[in-house]
Each structure stands twice: as C-alpha cells, then as structure tokens.
Amino acid sequence: MVKNIKTLLLLLFFAVSGNMLAQEPVLVAGIVQSDSVKLADIHILNLSTRKGTVSNAVGEFGITVSPNDTLIFSGIQFHTLGLIVDKKVIDRRILKIELVSRVEELGEIELKGHDLDGLFYVDTKRMRDSLPIMGEEAVNFSNQGYDDPTSSNYVVPSANILNLVSLIGKKRREENRQEATLLERKRAAAGDMRREIGEDVFLEQLGIPRVHIEPFIRYCQKKDIINLYVDGRIMEVIDILIKEKDNYIRERINID
C-alpha cells in the first residue's frame, strides 16, 4: 500500500514537473518569405513579452515564446501578420511564415497646371516665375531676345532650355503626386492599421472594444502614431498601442 502511494506520488511529481517545464519559454527558429523569396529586415515582435527581433539576410530569425503568446510579423510593403503560439509551435520549435505583398491602390489625383494661356512665350515666363527652385541665371532668356518676341533679334530658345523647363515641370508633378499619395495614406491610416494588425489583437490582447478601435488609434496620434505607421515603423506603433491602452480605457471607456 505504501509502495503504491509512493509510486502515485512519484508519477504525480513527474507530471507536475513536466507541465511546469512545458510552460517555460522556448526558443523558436523560423524563416520569413513571400512567394518563395526569403525576406530580410522583417520585424518580429512578441506582443506578450514586448520583445522582438529582425530577420537576417536570408529570412531567418529566432525568438523566445511561451504558449498563447502573440507574434506580430511586419515589414515595409507587406501586410502585417499575427500568429498565436500554440502547442504545435512549442513542440516543433520551427516556424515558416508567409507574408503577403502590400499593393498600394492610389486614388484619383488631380494635378493642376500653371494657368496656361496657350501663348508659348507668355506661358514659359509664367512657369519660370512660379518655380523658385530655379536660379535667375538658369531661366534668363534675355540673351536670346526671348523677353520680347516682337523684337528684331528674337530667336527660338535652345532645346536644352526647353528640356530643362520640361524636366522641372515633371519634377513638380511628381512631388505633387507624392504629397497627394502621402496625404491619402494618412487619412486611411486608422482603418488600414485596424485591418493589418487585426481586430483580434485589439480585442483580445489590448482589451479595446470593437467600436473603440479607430477612436483608440486616433487617441494615440498624440504619440505621432499615424506618421510612424505610414513610415512602416510597425514595431513602434505596436509599442505605443500597448503603452496607451490603459490610459484610453481609463479615460474613454470606463467613464461611458
């Protein structure tokens, strides 16, 4: 009888010890890729421990995890991926992550001209006056009689000058397009952040109710979270969300 009790106690000890060991953090190795291409500089964050790492030149990484930890994988030009660590991950200690490329869909952009009149010599002078990035010497047409097309010594400007004006106009249009695209991305950032990080992270990990997700993101703008997100600095974005969640819940939710 005593022997049986000792045996049961011994089995119970090993069972409890095994369970405790199973709950200890383990190092998991993995590879991040997209369409079979190994991805470097992908940020991997353990949302539960707030510790992270970055994939190397061949997409490899290592990170310490425990059961039910949440891992966030993010990189510029890729959709953010969230993964909950389960028993299978703990047992295998190997992860193979597939990220999906982010395709930017640009809205319609209206580019305004320089209020051109259709008269070549008048329009060119107007463009010259509206582009302060050019020095006076670069657009001085007086040596060619260009200031007064009715003068007897008037000649058509050289091809080099025309090409210069064309290139500057192209540069300005590209700058306008980039500014419009950046503004549109900032306007859509709260909704995009909600989709890319995932509602489950907001609901389960951060404790933010569904109707409060986008207001919470805007609340975090005091920490410049929108610009960080647009710049692809997702690790810093998540760190701000974690730090500000308690303040938001206390100030905006508990008083409802």
Side-chain angles (χ1 to χ4, degrees):
M1 181 66 175
V2 173
K3 182 178 180 181
N4 290 338
I5 293 177
K6 288 183 177 180
T7 301
L8 290 173
L9 290 174
L10 187 62
L11 291 174
L12 180 61
F13 171 77
F14 281 117
V16 172
S17 299
N19 186 59
M20 292 176 61
L21 290 173
Q23 300 301 315
E24 292 182 356
V26 298
L27 180 64
V28 172
I31 294 178
V32 189
Q33 63 181 25
S34 179
D35 294 330
S36 300
V37 177
K38 304 300 185 294
L39 303 177
D41 299 324
I42 298 299
H43 294 274
I44 303 99
L45 173 68
N46 187 329
L47 196 61
S48 304
T49 63
R50 293 176 61 184
K51 294 182 180 180
T53 185
V54 179
S55 62
N56 63 17
V58 291
E60 299 172 342
F61 70 91
I63 191 167
T64 301
V65 300
S66 297
N68 299 318
D69 282 357
T70 299
L71 299 181
I72 301 293
F73 299 83
S74 65
I76 298 176
Q77 298 181 350
F78 294 95
H79 287 288
T80 301
L81 174 68
L83 173 70
I84 297 178
V85 177
D86 57 15
K87 186 177 183 300
K88 184 182 296 185
V89 173
I90 297 295
D91 291 342
R92 293 183 178 180
R93 303 194 182 188
I94 295 177
L95 282 174
K96 185 175 182 180
I97 303 300
E98 183 77 20
L99 295 185
V100 178
S101 298
R102 178 191 299 172
V103 179
E104 298 292 349
E105 296 183 359
L106 302 181
E108 183 177 348
I109 301 174
E110 179 183 358
L111 298 179
K112 296 182 179 180
H114 296 272
D115 299 324
L116 304 181
D117 292 330
L119 298 176
F120 180 75
Y121 64 92
V122 175
D123 291 341
T124 307
K125 288 185 65 178
R126 182 171 295 164
M127 290 177 65
R128 178 191 67 185
D129 296 337
S130 66
L131 296 174
I133 58 175
M134 294 180 64
E136 287 295 325
E137 66 280 359
V139 290
N140 184 4
F141 302 115
S142 59
N143 292 334
Q144 302 186 48
Y146 190 60
D147 281 339
D148 184 6
T150 63
S151 65
S152 59
N153 65 340
Y154 173 74
V155 293
V156 176
S158 67
N160 287 338
I161 293 178
L162 294 178
N163 288 338
L164 180 59
V165 172
S166 176
L167 288 174
I168 292 174
K170 182 178 180 181
K171 179 181 179 181
R172 178 57 58 88
R173 290 193 296 272
E174 177 62 20
E175 290 174 351
N176 289 341
R177 185 191 68 81
Q178 292 177 357
E179 290 177 3
T181 301
L182 181 61
L183 181 60
E184 184 62 30
R185 289 191 63 190
K186 288 183 178 180
R187 288 173 177 170
D192 291 344
M193 201 183 305
R194 175 178 185 160
R195 287 189 294 272
E196 291 193 25
I197 294 178
E199 287 195 357
D200 289 345
V201 172
F202 285 98
L203 297 173
E204 300 174 10
Q205 301 296 324
L206 300 177
I208 303 297
R210 183 172 280 104
V211 296
H212 280 271
I213 292 178
E214 291 189 25
F216 171 52
I217 293 172
R218 290 191 289 271
Y219 172 85
C220 293
Q221 177 56 14
K222 62 184 179 181
K223 300 292 187 179
D224 204 30
I225 194 172
I226 297 298
N227 287 330
L228 292 173
Y229 173 74
V230 171
D231 289 342
R233 296 156 66 178
I234 194 69
M235 298 278 283
E236 295 175 57
V237 168
I238 293 174
D239 191 53
I240 290 173
L241 294 175
I242 294 173
K243 290 178 178 178
E244 292 297 323
K245 66 181 180 66
D246 291 335
N247 292 334
Y248 181 83
I249 292 172
R250 182 176 61 255
E251 296 175 14
R252 303 294 175 87
I253 297 178
N254 289 345
I255 63 174
D256 290 350

